[in-house]
Amino acid sequence: MSKGWRGTAEARRFLPDIRVAPPGPRARAIVSRDHRVVSHASARAYPLVVERGEGPSVWDVDGNRYLDFTAGVAVNALGHAHPEIVRVVAQQARNFLHMAGPDFYYDVMVDFAEKLCSIAPGRSPKMAFLTNSGTESVEAAIKLARFATGRPFLIAFYGGFHGRSLGSLSLTASKAVQRRHFGPLVAGVSHAPFGDVEFIEKYLFRKTAPPEDVAAIFVEAIQGEGGYHVAPKGFLPDLRALCDRHGILLVADEIQSGLGRTGKWWAVDHWGVVPDILCVSKPAGGGLPLGAMISRADLQTWGPGAHSNTFGGNPIACAAGLRTLEIILEDGLMENARRVGAHLRQRLRELSSRHPCMGPPRGLGLMQAVDIVRPRDGRPDPERRSRVVRAAFERGLLLLGCGEAAIRFLPPLTIERGHVDAAVEVLGKALRGSGS
Ligand code: PLP
């Protein structure tokens, strides 16, 4: 496909192949039924109707093949239908599907929690509360932070996204539409500009949130939904030191950035910062709903009944998640994320030098984004961003927006250089098709 790529026939099998202009007739029929019965509260990026997936690709119901640079929003770390994950899911399903882990015991949940605690940053012993989603992991972190410190206030950052339940939404400050008409939210939450520790000390601590009343500061090392903004140099270590000075817990939300995507297990590892609480989800269940709130064991002073759920630590999700973590290590996928991520960045940089409407890439590993801007003044251009994402879809490349006018690239950690070359080639055509 792309010049110079000598990918194997096997890898070429996954490249974009559009046979019917999407959405084709079968896709259109499903979308119109969907619109009648599925809530409109979620914003669908474009009318992709998936029939099956394999590796880095998905096929739609009209027989078109797409390269998936969304990984199901950072979930499918191993790509689609990884044979090992399919195998362990089937095996666990034959044993039992559900037995309410928070009420009883089973070994695969312990295996998964042990593995997760062993890779969480820091040397002190850890404990995990297992959840079904990112939002639920953040919600558990809010409750534990208040419980363990006995303090009421929380701090988060503008541009941050932590979920949509009322507690996690109180921390989220990414887009107004996410909060509109939902107030009042949880009391005691203040926000600071991302990267600005001085603001916290100068304004929040002195005027609205006395430090001795602050339970926790929530931060994403790379703001995800907010636009793939990487923490500026020194910010996370300074935040750690600030928390230490005032007995405040540092909560790292690694729901999008964690589990190998940036080339290390955790994005905070790039700064050597150890949080007190870590929120995890997305790829944790190997494609099934699973998450965790992991903390230092000594913080879990809460007792039986303080917090729980029905589905947390579902056995199939734990089996798939455990095998996913093993494969990330066995197959050197963090190294792949670093290597192929660097290649993606280089190719995006080249493309941006040829297209004045596209800014330079930013991010770490396989968590990269570019801004789409107005060439005449460099201001964000959300409409053109949507047109580019749509044009890429019509040419067989699945992308997602983030932030005001950015496009993010978050392919599976198994992605190869040739897939990146093919994706960049399609993106170039989509940029030209959008009027650049
Ligand atoms: N935190 C971060 C950083 C996220 O990216 C997301 C989802 O995108 C969430 C929390 C919420 O996770 P979920 O959608 O699984 O509830």
Side-chain angles (χ1 to χ4, degrees), residues 106-148:
Y106 42 84
D107 63 355
V108 68
M109 184 169 76
V110 183
D111 293 343
F112 176 72
E114 280 175 350
K115 181 77 191 168
L116 210 49
C117 289
S118 78
I119 62 172
R123 297 230 173 88
S124 34
K126 313 277 180 337
M127 288 182 114
F129 177 87
L130 299 181
T131 70
N132 305 281
S133 68
T135 297
E136 230 194 297
S137 302
V138 171
E139 208 64 42
I142 294 173
K143 288 179 74 177
L144 181 66
R146 282 186 166 174
F147 193 100

Side-chain angles (χ1 to χ4, degrees), residues 280-317:
V280 185
S281 188
K282 293 211 185 270
L288 286 123
L290 184 61
M293 184 278 294
I294 306 163
S295 79
R296 290 199 331 257
D298 63 286
L299 286 176
Q300 302 225 3
T301 50
W302 51 13
H307 192 52
S308 196
N309 55 23
T310 299
F311 286 108
N314 170 270
I316 300 183

